[in-house]
Amino acid sequence: MSEDLLKKLIGKNKKDYKQAASLIIDNADFDTFKQLVEKDDFLFDFVKQNISERLAKAVNRCNFENLFKLMKLYSPTYEDFIISSLVKFANEDITDKMLDLLENGSLDEKTYAAKYFSKIQDPLALDTLRQNAFSDNDFLKLNCAQALGMFKDKITFNEALNKLDSSDEFEKLNAVKFLSSYGDASVVQNIINTMKMSSMSENIASEILYLQNIFELLNNNYADALLVLNNIINGLGEIVPLTCVFDFELFEVFERLIYKSEDSKAAVVLLNAYEKFNILTENDEYIFDEDKDTKNEIYDIKKLLSQINTKELGKLIYEELDENSPFVYTALDFATDLHAIRELLKSNNQTIILKTAEILKKLGNLDENTKTVALLKVTDTNIKSIIRAL
């Protein structure tokens, strides 16, 4: 029965899907809802959006409390329809019940309840939201952060801000995710500074643009905005989901850089993007599971980037072959002037020396004398071993 109902809910026949949605909500049909959630990875986003709208329309004043039974299984896909429906019919009893779930419910129920209090700001929820603000569960943590942001709670905000200075990279990233969901754009520069010093810079960069639009960032802090963009490009397809091409307006930002920028930093970013989108489209494994809109956008971006003059941009990047430039690692990937590259062997940064040696090896210009020069300033035993093995 559940499978047949699910097929009708997903299908295109209006009479069937309306009836299926009503049956699921009227009967608090947890089994069918569970099967629906299990199909999440196999349904396109627009299909899931349609399903959410169909279920939401089936909710009314007589059956909305049946949603509590569905809340035993958390789904980020169907969370909005469930919580928006509860908020629509909210009263004091419903809010009391959500308070109880936030305090005593299962992990799934707590996650839904935290989302509820981002819509209904009941101060009685504050203490429990604070307690779960840095939960090990990402969904609960981020829903609490969003709710606490609506409360403008400074206790957890300052705690997260302090965690940006942690020596633990994962604690830093968790703090960044909290602040991104909290929604106060005043911390953007703090997060950018953390990104610059982090080994998880791609992860952090992708959170920044949920706090501030890339075009605002370019207008306010051009160099840092380009660095954020460069890190996102590095992470695309592996760390950063490809659907983010829409979230971050990548087509539009590359268009702006192509037609309005002639500086070394933009040159590095554009060359990096050019190479990345060629890789994404030449290897089917990156885009195979993406929906039609995402694939089309990726190909449109590739077509746009094909207009750049790689030789001319390649001449501009040498200004970034400086150990103090945050673009130095990417610039090295596109450098061909052996003299300019070799100059970086004099760097005081051992990671840059390693990268330089790797590039010289790639260009067929790493002999034993060059290795000796590279090793003179290296004290890290692991880096020494890698250079010797090149």
Side-chain angles (χ1 to χ4, degrees), residues 260-272:
K260 294 188 178 179
S261 299
E262 294 181 349
D263 64 281
S264 57
K265 294 175 177 58
V268 170
V269 171
L270 286 170
L271 286 171
N272 196 21

Side-chain angles (χ1 to χ4, degrees), residues 9 37 97 162 186 201 236 248 256 258 291 297 303 381:
L9 179 67
V37 173
K97 190 165 185 176
N162 289 333
S186 69
S201 54
L236 271 177
F248 303 151
R256 170 172 166 175
I258 287 171
D291 62 35
E297 186 75 359
K303 184 178 178 181
T381 53

Side-chain angles (χ1 to χ4, degrees), residues 222-223 226-227 263-269 313-332 335 340 344 352:
Y222 181 75
L226 287 179
L227 184 60
D263 64 281
S264 57
K265 294 175 177 58
V268 170
V269 171
L313 291 177
K315 295 175 184 176
L316 296 174
I317 66 167
Y318 289 95
E319 190 176 328
E320 303 307 320
L321 286 190
D322 183 310
E323 67 176 319
N324 296 313
S325 169
F327 296 90
V328 62
Y329 296 102
T330 308
L332 271 166
L344 283 171
I352 290 177

Side-chain angles (χ1 to χ4, degrees), residues 110-134:
K110 286 181 178 182
T111 306
Y112 281 115
K115 184 73 171 183
Y116 179 86
F117 290 108
S118 70
K119 311 284 186 183
I120 304 286
Q121 279 87 62
D122 189 322
L124 293 175
L126 258 175
D127 283 345
T128 313
L129 289 169
R130 287 169 180 159
Q131 289 167 19
N132 290 288
F134 300 100

Side-chain angles (χ1 to χ4, degrees), residues 240-302:
V240 181
L242 293 180
T243 51
C244 286
V245 293
F246 295 111
D247 296 346
F248 303 151
E249 302 176 89
L250 293 189
F251 184 96
E252 291 77 12
V253 74
F254 291 143
E255 195 172 38
R256 170 172 166 175
L257 292 181
I258 287 171
Y259 296 118
K260 294 188 178 179
S261 299
E262 294 181 349
D263 64 281
S264 57
K265 294 175 177 58
V268 170
V269 171
L270 286 170
L271 286 171
N272 196 21
Y274 176 84
E275 182 177 77
K276 170 64 74 163
F277 280 85
N278 277 328
I279 291 169
L280 291 176
T281 51
E282 287 170 4
N283 192 337
D284 194 46
E285 71 178 78
Y286 284 108
I287 61 173
F288 182 79
D289 292 326
E290 300 299 331
D291 62 35
K292 184 180 177 181
D293 289 342
T294 304
K295 287 179 181 177
N296 287 342
E297 186 75 359
I298 289 168
Y299 277 105
D300 284 346
I301 291 172
K302 177 182 178 177

